[in-house]
Amino acid sequence: MSSFSYLAITGIANILEFGADPAGVDDAAGKIGMAIQQVSALGGIVEIPPGTYRLGSSPSFGSATNITIYQHPGVTFTGVGTMPTAAGTNNYFYPAA
């Protein structure tokens, strides 16, 4: 099942399904941005499972709205990018930074 099909059924986009590297070797910013844009199209949750994610830049939220970012315990971000604590309209971040 493709990431988009799973998202359409569950409303959840796990960033690993978009190719984010939980070992922190590859830049995950673009992959997180892809998940955010897909969720924004339908509304739902971007799930960030435990791991270390390298951010070479800050993930793009663009005009994304009506999304929830759920960050599991055990998530670490490294690199020069940052994950925002609020963006767009009706976007929610858990846990709150």
Side-chain angles (χ1 to χ4, degrees), residues 32-69:
I32 294 171
M34 287 173 36
I36 289 168
Q37 294 309 311
Q38 288 292 321
V39 167
S40 182
L42 300 172
I45 298 168
V46 174
E47 179 181 21
I48 304 175
T52 298
Y53 300 96
R54 186 170 63 81
L55 302 177
S57 61
S58 296
S60 173
F61 276 73
S63 60
T65 60
N66 297 315
I67 65 172
T68 297
I69 305 289

Side-chain angles (χ1 to χ4, degrees), residues 1-82:
M1 179 180 304
S2 73
S3 297
F4 190 75
S5 296
Y6 181 76
L7 170 62
I9 293 168
T10 66
I12 299 171
N14 184 310
I15 64 169
L16 299 181
E17 295 294 323
F18 289 83
D21 173 19
V25 176
D26 296 324
D27 187 355
K31 307 301 183 182
I32 294 171
M34 287 173 36
I36 289 168
Q37 294 309 311
Q38 288 292 321
V39 167
S40 182
L42 300 172
I45 298 168
V46 174
E47 179 181 21
I48 304 175
T52 298
Y53 300 96
R54 186 170 63 81
L55 302 177
S57 61
S58 296
S60 173
F61 276 73
S63 60
T65 60
N66 297 315
I67 65 172
T68 297
I69 305 289
Y70 180 76
Q71 178 180 313
H72 286 267
V75 170
T76 302
F77 295 105
T78 63
V80 297
T82 59

